[in-house]
Amino acid sequence: MPTRTARTAWNGSLEQGSGQVELTSSGVATFDVSFPKRAAEEAGGTTSPEELIAAAHSSCYAMQLSALIAEAGGTPQSLEVKADVSLGPDNPGFKLTGIKLTVRGEVDGLDADSFAKAAQAAKESCPVSKALTGVEITLDAALES
């Protein structure tokens, strides 16, 4: 399996500095980052490590859930996955305080209970969830009618 790479160029102090995160492997984008905007309610056109983790987690989870639905005999028509990653104080510094995964699915061939079981198994087995075991991850999963 391949290794993927991202690179950050940072200039200045934590409070006054800023940087750019480059998705090096794919070359699809470069994003601005700054600590003041990371800690603010409004991102103001910049991303943050938490948003990048949310993107990684939601996409990894969607892939894993799709595979587990198929293993359970279902056919995923669509999955909408949102990951909310929270940052809070720690001593020293900061820490991730929680991740909430929300998934809504349109799935043929599975009832609500089977979908919930697949959703829980995906939360436990997706590689990003495994990497983030030091953070509480909660799940809200439901089939759409």
Side-chain angles (χ1 to χ4, degrees):
M1 298 298 285
T3 298
R4 301 292 186 223
T5 304
R7 182 185 69 82
T8 299
W10 185 268
N11 295 301
S13 68
L14 176 64
E15 292 295 331
Q16 305 303 319
S18 63
Q20 291 191 313
V21 176
E22 171 190 270
L23 305 182
T24 309
S25 300
S26 64
V28 298
T30 299
F31 302 103
D32 292 331
V33 292
S34 83
F35 183 77
K37 290 185 179 179
R38 178 184 185 186
E41 285 298 319
E42 291 297 319
T46 67
T47 193
S48 66
E50 294 73 36
E51 185 176 40
L52 295 169
I53 289 169
H57 204 175
S58 67
S59 60
C60 182
Y61 178 85
M63 290 179 207
Q64 185 70 6
L65 179 54
S66 176
L68 294 178
I69 288 168
E71 282 181 18
T75 304
Q77 297 303 317
S78 69
L79 299 172
E80 180 77 26
V81 180
K82 181 174 82 164
D84 296 308
V85 178
S86 301
L87 179 70
D90 197 16
N91 191 12
F94 299 89
K95 67 179 181 178
L96 299 183
T97 57
I99 299 171
K100 179 182 178 187
L101 293 172
T102 304
V103 60
R104 297 296 179 261
E106 292 183 29
V107 176
D108 296 334
L110 290 185
D111 61 16
D113 187 52
S114 296
F115 178 76
K117 287 178 184 171
Q120 182 64 34
K123 182 188 100 153
E124 294 165 4
S125 62
C126 105
V128 173
S129 288
K130 290 178 183 179
L132 297 169
T133 57
V135 181
E136 181 183 7
I137 301 170
T138 60
L139 176 65
D140 174 4
L143 285 174
E144 297 278 301
S145 306

